[in-house]
Amino acid sequence: MIANLRDRLINKRTWRQIQKFVIVSATSATITLGIPIFLHEIFGVQEKIAVLVAFVVAYMVNFLSLRRVVFSSAGTVRGDFLKFALSSLAFRTSEYLAFLLLHEMLNMTYILALLIVLTTATFLKFFWYRLLFDNSGSGTGIGQ
């Protein structure tokens, strides 16, 4: 029973999606970590503003990559963008609040706070965006 569940959840198609998602996530993490470090360390931009700028840039890259590269959505651009925009708003708001909690209330360095927030969010996002955009192949959602 467990092997059957595993096979349904993680088939070849799923592994390909996970690999692509990891690449997209690494790119997004590089943007989300690199921009604040660059803006803050080189130009002296306040950490809170630098992180916010990075989240906006990563947003644009993520929509295009997730929709076409990772999950090959057959939905309309408008419909996919609306789903992504609402989901991303919820994720990014939560991520930013979690960053502020870790950085300002717990006095954690901004780089470590970002790493913790991004690692946790990445895991959750794969499954959520797969449910939203994965309508290629034999069906929709996890295990199809």
Side-chain angles (χ1 to χ4, degrees):
M1 182 164 159
I2 293 174
N4 185 29
L5 178 61
R6 183 196 68 224
D7 291 343
R8 286 188 61 224
L9 291 176
I10 304 177
N11 56 34
K12 287 181 183 181
R13 187 165 158 264
T14 300
W15 277 117
R16 284 192 302 273
Q17 288 176 328
I18 289 170
Q19 291 168 345
K20 291 176 185 178
F21 190 81
V22 166
I23 292 167
V24 169
S25 295
T27 302
S28 181
T30 301
I31 290 167
T32 307
L33 285 169
I35 287 176
I37 292 168
F38 181 76
L39 291 177
H40 177 67
E41 301 299 333
I42 304 298
F43 293 108
V45 174
Q46 188 179 22
E47 292 110 330
K48 292 184 279 189
I49 302 302
V51 169
L52 185 60
V53 169
F55 281 167
V56 170
V57 173
Y59 172 85
M60 296 181 294
V61 170
N62 287 340
F63 171 68
L64 296 172
S65 300
L66 290 173
R67 184 175 185 273
R68 297 314 286 149
V69 175
V70 179
F71 299 117
S72 301
S73 175
T76 66
V77 174
R78 179 179 286 172
D80 283 349
F81 185 76
L82 180 60
K83 290 187 281 187
F84 181 79
L86 294 173
S87 297
S88 188
L89 178 63
F91 273 116
R92 288 300 186 180
T93 300
S94 299
E95 290 168 22
Y96 191 59
L97 292 174
F99 165 78
L100 292 176
L101 172 75
L102 294 173
H103 177 60
E104 298 208 343
M105 297 183 78
L106 300 178
N107 294 318
M108 189 178 290
T109 177
Y110 75 100
I111 295 171
L112 182 58
L114 271 173
L115 286 171
I116 291 169
V117 168
L118 293 174
T119 300
T120 304
T122 298
F123 178 78
L124 298 171
K125 286 178 183 180
F126 175 80
F127 294 103
W128 177 250
Y129 287 127
R130 185 166 184 194
L131 288 171
L132 289 183
F133 296 130
D134 187 24
N135 49 14
S136 63
S138 61
T140 61
I142 297 170
Q144 298 297 313

